[in-house]
mmCIF file of all heavy atoms in Angstrom:
data_model
loop_
_atom_site.group_PDB
_atom_site.id
_atom_site.type_symbol
_atom_site.label_atom_id
_atom_site.label_comp_id
_atom_site.label_asym_id
_atom_site.label_seq_id
_atom_site.Cartn_x
_atom_site.Cartn_y
_atom_site.Cartn_z
ATOM 1 N N ARG R 214 -34.982 -28.787 -52.428
ATOM 2 C CA ARG R 214 -35.781 -29.801 -51.743
ATOM 3 C C ARG R 214 -37.020 -30.163 -52.554
ATOM 4 O O ARG R 214 -37.402 -31.335 -52.649
ATOM 5 C CB ARG R 214 -36.187 -29.301 -50.357
ATOM 6 C CG ARG R 214 -35.060 -29.313 -49.337
ATOM 7 C CD ARG R 214 -35.608 -29.196 -47.938
ATOM 8 N NE ARG R 214 -36.340 -27.955 -47.751
ATOM 9 C CZ ARG R 214 -35.802 -26.833 -47.278
ATOM 10 N NH1 ARG R 214 -34.518 -26.817 -46.951
ATOM 11 N NH2 ARG R 214 -36.526 -25.739 -47.122
ATOM 12 N N MET R 215 -37.667 -29.164 -53.141
ATOM 13 C CA MET R 215 -38.842 -29.441 -53.964
ATOM 14 C C MET R 215 -38.477 -30.255 -55.186
ATOM 15 O O MET R 215 -39.213 -31.169 -55.581
ATOM 16 C CB MET R 215 -39.510 -28.117 -54.376
ATOM 17 C CG MET R 215 -40.133 -27.352 -53.227
ATOM 18 S SD MET R 215 -40.883 -25.792 -53.751
ATOM 19 C CE MET R 215 -42.124 -26.404 -54.888
ATOM 20 N N ALA R 216 -37.323 -29.961 -55.781
ATOM 21 C CA ALA R 216 -36.893 -30.723 -56.955
ATOM 22 C C ALA R 216 -36.607 -32.175 -56.595
ATOM 23 O O ALA R 216 -36.989 -33.095 -57.319
ATOM 24 C CB ALA R 216 -35.660 -30.065 -57.573
ATOM 25 N N LEU R 217 -35.932 -32.383 -55.459
ATOM 26 C CA LEU R 217 -35.642 -33.752 -55.030
ATOM 27 C C LEU R 217 -36.917 -34.513 -54.685
ATOM 28 O O LEU R 217 -37.062 -35.691 -54.994
ATOM 29 C CB LEU R 217 -34.701 -33.730 -53.825
ATOM 30 C CG LEU R 217 -33.268 -33.243 -54.103
ATOM 31 C CD1 LEU R 217 -32.488 -33.166 -52.808
ATOM 32 C CD2 LEU R 217 -32.573 -34.162 -55.092
ATOM 33 N N THR R 218 -37.873 -33.827 -54.040
ATOM 34 C CA THR R 218 -39.138 -34.469 -53.698
ATOM 35 C C THR R 218 -39.910 -34.862 -54.951
ATOM 36 O O THR R 218 -40.456 -35.957 -55.062
ATOM 37 C CB THR R 218 -39.978 -33.537 -52.831
ATOM 38 O OG1 THR R 218 -39.235 -33.180 -51.659
ATOM 39 C CG2 THR R 218 -41.284 -34.202 -52.422
ATOM 40 N N THR R 219 -39.947 -33.967 -55.915
ATOM 41 C CA THR R 219 -40.649 -34.263 -57.171
ATOM 42 C C THR R 219 -39.991 -35.415 -57.906
ATOM 43 O O THR R 219 -40.658 -36.291 -58.461
ATOM 44 C CB THR R 219 -40.675 -33.014 -58.060
ATOM 45 O OG1 THR R 219 -41.264 -31.933 -57.331
ATOM 46 C CG2 THR R 219 -41.456 -33.256 -59.324
ATOM 47 N N ARG R 220 -38.650 -35.435 -57.888
ATOM 48 C CA ARG R 220 -37.920 -36.487 -58.570
ATOM 49 C C ARG R 220 -38.158 -37.848 -57.910
ATOM 50 O O ARG R 220 -38.184 -38.885 -58.569
ATOM 51 C CB ARG R 220 -36.438 -36.155 -58.564
ATOM 52 C CG ARG R 220 -35.605 -36.987 -59.537
ATOM 53 C CD ARG R 220 -34.164 -36.529 -59.490
ATOM 54 N NE ARG R 220 -34.063 -35.102 -59.758
ATOM 55 C CZ ARG R 220 -32.959 -34.390 -59.576
ATOM 56 N NH1 ARG R 220 -31.876 -34.982 -59.108
ATOM 57 N NH2 ARG R 220 -32.942 -33.104 -59.858
ATOM 58 N N ALA R 221 -38.329 -37.848 -56.569
ATOM 59 C CA ALA R 221 -38.540 -39.113 -55.861
ATOM 60 C C ALA R 221 -39.977 -39.603 -55.976
ATOM 61 O O ALA R 221 -40.233 -40.802 -56.010
ATOM 62 C CB ALA R 221 -38.157 -38.954 -54.396
ATOM 63 N N VAL R 222 -40.928 -38.675 -56.042
ATOM 64 C CA VAL R 222 -42.338 -39.056 -56.081
ATOM 65 C C VAL R 222 -42.756 -39.485 -57.475
ATOM 66 O O VAL R 222 -43.577 -40.393 -57.639
ATOM 67 C CB VAL R 222 -43.203 -37.886 -55.584
ATOM 68 C CG1 VAL R 222 -44.679 -38.145 -55.842
ATOM 69 C CG2 VAL R 222 -42.959 -37.652 -54.106
ATOM 70 N N THR R 223 -42.188 -38.879 -58.513
ATOM 71 C CA THR R 223 -42.626 -39.166 -59.878
ATOM 72 C C THR R 223 -42.453 -40.630 -60.274
ATOM 73 O O THR R 223 -43.389 -41.241 -60.792
ATOM 74 C CB THR R 223 -41.882 -38.248 -60.858
ATOM 75 O OG1 THR R 223 -42.147 -36.889 -60.509
ATOM 76 C CG2 THR R 223 -42.338 -38.515 -62.274
ATOM 77 N N PRO R 224 -41.290 -41.297 -60.048
ATOM 78 C CA PRO R 224 -41.207 -42.721 -60.402
ATOM 79 C C PRO R 224 -42.191 -43.585 -59.637
ATOM 80 O O PRO R 224 -42.760 -44.529 -60.184
ATOM 81 C CB PRO R 224 -39.751 -43.072 -60.042
ATOM 82 C CG PRO R 224 -39.031 -41.780 -60.050
ATOM 83 C CD PRO R 224 -40.021 -40.775 -59.577
ATOM 84 N N ALA R 225 -42.427 -43.247 -58.345
ATOM 85 C CA ALA R 225 -43.390 -44.018 -57.570
ATOM 86 C C ALA R 225 -44.791 -43.883 -58.149
ATOM 87 O O ALA R 225 -45.549 -44.864 -58.222
ATOM 88 C CB ALA R 225 -43.361 -43.559 -56.113
ATOM 89 N N CYS R 226 -45.131 -42.698 -58.592
ATOM 90 C CA CYS R 226 -46.456 -42.496 -59.198
ATOM 91 C C CYS R 226 -46.579 -43.298 -60.484
ATOM 92 O O CYS R 226 -47.616 -43.913 -60.751
ATOM 93 C CB CYS R 226 -46.685 -41.006 -59.462
ATOM 94 S SG CYS R 226 -46.793 -40.002 -57.967
ATOM 95 N N HIS R 227 -45.484 -43.300 -61.295
ATOM 96 C CA HIS R 227 -45.524 -44.083 -62.517
ATOM 97 C C HIS R 227 -45.652 -45.577 -62.218
ATOM 98 O O HIS R 227 -46.378 -46.307 -62.910
ATOM 99 C CB HIS R 227 -44.253 -43.837 -63.331
ATOM 100 C CG HIS R 227 -44.203 -42.458 -63.935
ATOM 101 N ND1 HIS R 227 -45.324 -41.809 -64.416
ATOM 102 C CD2 HIS R 227 -43.154 -41.608 -64.144
ATOM 103 C CE1 HIS R 227 -44.985 -40.632 -64.897
ATOM 104 N NE2 HIS R 227 -43.668 -40.482 -64.729
ATOM 105 N N ALA R 228 -44.970 -46.044 -61.163
ATOM 106 C CA ALA R 228 -45.061 -47.464 -60.798
ATOM 107 C C ALA R 228 -46.472 -47.812 -60.342
ATOM 108 O O ALA R 228 -47.030 -48.852 -60.716
ATOM 109 C CB ALA R 228 -44.042 -47.785 -59.708
#
Side-chain angles (χ1 to χ4, degrees):
R214 285 196 299 267
M215 293 179 61
L217 292 175
T218 303
T219 304
R220 194 177 304 169
V222 170
T223 302
C226 294
H227 289 324

